Amino acid sequence: MHVAVLLYDGFDEMDAVGPFEVFANAARVGADCEVSLREVDDAAVVTASHGMRVEPDGPLPQLGGDDLLVVPGGGWNDRDRPGAWTEAERGAVPDSIAAMHDGGATVASVCTGGMLAARAGILDGRPAVTHASALDDLRQYATVVDARVVDDGDVVTAGGVTSGLDLAFHLVDREFGDEVARQVATEMEYQPTGDVVRP
């Protein structure tokens, strides 16, 4: 499995780095996955919402049926700066999300990354969650569920910021088993909430 964490200017650091670390640790203890940081414009550097500068591993590759695209949020409600709102309006990120999903990849969104998934058209009429500040916007597309993580099979969504860790642990457990998830949780000294809704 290739796990691609999709970056763009204004993404929230924890939305991306938390899941990245969970999957990287899973690979270290035997999960058959590789994780990378990708973006759609082949930029040399991407600047996150709190100023962290990241050198992506390259442009987003074509993902297939065994792969996972993680979409972080950030900046949905601060519309005068780079972030999820800007990318939703620009269109390239939602188009890429739709293309990866159409190609068979699972899409997992964190926080207002769920709004980018919504703009991609992959949440229409489906159960989902996002950051509390964007729930009203999400209701225009999806059926909002009160949960940290909502697993609807090929689309998995998470609430605000720290719920990205719970999303990543849930997917590690789902794809690679509870023993791998347990080892990663021990390494990271984190206890996932387990508040996952699977409609």
Side-chain angles (χ1 to χ4, degrees):
M1 172 188 283
H2 188 105
V3 179
V5 180
L6 182 59
L7 305 183
Y8 51 87
D9 282 332
F11 77 90
D12 184 87
E13 287 88 339
M14 185 172 285
D15 286 6
V17 174
F20 178 92
E21 185 167 336
V22 172
F23 284 107
N25 281 326
R28 287 180 54 205
V29 298
D32 185 15
C33 69
E34 58 177 328
V35 59
S36 63
L37 301 169
R38 302 290 181 161
E39 48 74 57
V40 298
D41 296 321
D42 201 17
V45 176
V46 177
T47 303
S49 63
H50 295 85
M52 184 175 76
R53 294 167 57 81
V54 181
E55 295 181 8
D57 295 309
L60 184 63
Q62 181 61 47
L63 301 177
D66 294 327
D67 298 324
L68 173 67
L69 178 65
V70 178
V71 183
W76 180 257
N77 295 306
D78 191 359
R79 297 178 177 180
D80 295 327
R81 300 175 54 194
W85 172 262
T86 300
E87 293 303 325
E89 293 295 293
R90 187 169 73 99
V93 167
D95 288 349
S96 294
I97 294 169
M100 297 303 108
H101 186 257
D102 288 347
T106 296
V107 175
S109 66
V110 180
C111 195
T112 56
M115 293 309 305
L116 290 167
R119 285 288 188 95
I122 67 170
L123 296 184
D124 291 353
R126 300 180 72 162
V129 68
T130 187
H131 190 278
S133 66
L135 288 175
D136 285 343
D137 291 337
L138 182 63
R139 285 187 178 95
Q140 299 174 40
Y141 303 89
T143 301
V144 170
V145 177
D146 182 15
R148 295 270 292 174
V149 177
V150 178
D151 182 344
D152 197 34
D154 60 344
V155 175
V156 185
T157 55
V161 192
T162 58
S163 61
L165 289 168
D166 299 313
L167 175 141
F169 272 104
H170 168 67
L171 287 169
V172 165
D173 181 57
R174 187 181 95 172
E175 300 298 328
F176 308 113
D178 58 1
E179 177 58 23
V180 171
R182 186 195 64 76
Q183 290 184 59
V184 175
T186 299
E187 169 68 23
M188 295 180 68
E189 295 190 351
Y190 182 74
Q191 183 60 49
T193 68
D195 180 17
V196 178
V197 172
R198 302 182 81 161

